[in-house]
Amino acid sequence: MIKTSQWPVPRDSVRYVVPEPTIKRLAAHPLTRDLYPLAFGHYRRAAGHHMHREHHSDNLLIYCTEGKAFLNVEGEPYTVGAGDLLLLPAGADHRYTADPDDPWTIHWVHYTGPLAEDFQHYMGFSGTTRVRQLGRQPRLLVDFNGLLSVRQTGFRTVGLIHAANRLRQLMTAIPLNIDDASQQRSEELETLHNYMREHLDERLSLEQLAELSGLSPAHFATRYRQQTGTSPIQHFLHLKVERACQLLDSTDVSFAEISRRLGYDDAYYFSRLFKKVMGQSPRDYRHTARH
């Protein structure tokens, strides 16, 4: 039997549970038996929302549009934020709790069927990929809201057959949404990196960079590392060192002056950073023969 959270649903949120007799019909009908919903809904600012499932037989797809939640799947912790899509497959021990200070807003659907695992792989989820960052995707919201359009139809089988095929449409569109999000993230990163290159003479903080992205410092740092494999401050430092190498190669300017131009009044401190990145001191770098 479907196990949804017992979170008390307020007026501005929706929980729709498909009755057991209807589920049996969906499991047998040729148009739905391969993939069909068991429950779906929309929780807005779900303060106090939490759940722990050790053993469950269905799959749960959640799209977060606001706020945050803390997730643990098979012992691995995650922080879920706005724009994240997560899949909790059948059999995966998991728990989640809405951030008490900034509770998440989510669209969600429990589903099952023989094609559930195939769709899991098609959407890009695996045992090591539980959460995917899509950003704001209006098309995905339309698809989730399409499921809710069957409300007030009296659990008619024809309405739920339609919902089952809306679910299939939603899930087949996920890779398209991911492609759009990847392009958008690439453009956002390039904008951020251009900003860094234009401000090499400053000491930018994580808070300043996060503000450019409209995210909290912690969320920004996590997302940046997921996209690039390094931290934003580390990348900014590498840009500075790269610029220092160019000046050491092409000018006779002292390293103290180069440090000052790159926002460091303490040349000794920047020299240590330089050596940590390059593996040699600025002096040795300048006097190394290169062709």
Side-chain angles (χ1 to χ4, degrees):
M1 183 174 178
I2 179 67
K3 185 180 179 183
T4 62
S5 71
Q6 297 307 303
W7 183 67
V9 182
R11 289 179 179 273
D12 60 355
S13 297
V14 179
R15 178 191 292 137
Y16 185 97
V17 179
V18 181
E20 282 292 326
T22 306
I23 289 175
K24 291 179 180 178
R25 288 196 290 272
L26 294 177
H29 198 285
L31 296 181
T32 57
R33 62 191 176 201
D34 289 332
L35 188 79
Y36 51 94
L38 305 172
F40 39 88
H42 176 214
Y43 293 166
R44 189 183 303 277
R45 288 295 181 184
H49 182 220
H50 62 92
M51 191 66 191
H52 179 206
R53 300 180 183 91
E54 292 184 13
H55 307 289
H56 66 116
S57 59
D58 60 76
N59 305 270
L60 174 57
L61 188 68
I62 300 176
Y63 180 45
C64 175
T65 56
E66 293 181 274
K68 291 191 299 183
F70 306 108
L71 168 70
N72 189 293
V73 186
E74 304 285 6
E76 290 292 325
Y78 303 85
T79 297
V80 179
D84 285 339
L85 182 74
L86 66 108
L87 175 63
L88 302 171
D93 179 16
H94 65 265
R95 66 176 73 232
Y96 49 80
T97 303
D99 185 327
D101 299 319
D102 187 18
W104 63 357
T105 292
I106 57 173
H107 284 78
W108 56 271
V109 55
H110 287 266
Y111 64 94
T112 191
L115 288 181
E117 186 172 354
D118 293 301
F119 271 101
Q120 173 183 331
H121 298 309
Y122 181 76
M123 292 186 289
F125 292 102
S126 67
T128 57
T129 302
R130 307 288 190 184
V131 180
R132 307 209 64 176
Q133 222 299 314
L134 298 186
R136 181 165 179 80
Q137 294 289 341
R139 177 169 54 189
L140 186 55
L141 290 175
V142 168
D143 288 338
F144 268 108
N145 286 324
L147 296 176
L148 293 172
S149 67
V150 303
R151 288 185 302 151
Q152 300 178 347
T153 60
F155 300 120
R156 294 179 64 205
T157 301
V158 290
L160 285 161
I161 289 174
H162 177 68
N165 284 280
R166 288 298 295 263
L167 173 62
R168 186 184 291 253
Q169 174 181 316
L170 184 160
M171 295 169 76
T172 54
I174 294 299
L176 300 176
N177 290 313
I178 290 172
D179 288 345
D180 290 345
S182 297
Q183 178 62 30
Q184 181 181 0
R185 286 197 298 271
S186 177
E187 293 172 358
E188 289 172 352
L189 276 178
E190 186 57 29
T191 298
L192 179 64
H193 290 163
N194 283 338
Y195 182 86
M196 289 181 180
R197 285 189 285 267
E198 291 168 1
H199 293 80
L200 289 178
D201 59 336
E202 300 178 28
R203 299 281 292 276
L204 297 178
S205 67
L206 178 63
E207 289 73 18
Q208 288 173 290
L209 295 173
E211 187 175 353
L212 292 172
S213 297
L215 302 171
S216 70
H219 194 187
F220 167 71
T222 298
R223 184 159 300 174
Y224 187 93
R225 183 175 290 279
Q226 289 173 341
Q227 294 174 22
T228 67
T230 189
S231 73
I233 295 301
Q234 187 76 358
H235 181 74
F236 188 46
L237 171 61
H238 284 186
L239 289 176
K240 285 176 177 284
V241 170
E242 184 179 65
R243 178 60 178 156
C245 289
Q246 293 172 355
L247 292 171
L248 289 169
D249 283 337
S250 61
T251 72
D252 293 325
V253 174
S254 69
F255 189 72
E257 173 60 18
I258 291 173
S259 299
R260 190 191 63 76
R261 293 184 186 182
L262 294 172
Y264 294 94
D265 292 330
D266 186 345
Y268 177 69
Y269 174 71
F270 185 50
S271 176
R272 284 187 294 150
L273 294 178
F274 183 99
K275 185 173 182 178
K276 188 174 181 179
V277 173
M278 296 301 296
Q280 58 184 157
S281 69
R283 178 183 177 84
D284 289 341
Y285 178 89
R286 175 167 260 169
H287 291 93
T288 297
R290 281 180 289 275
H291 301 283

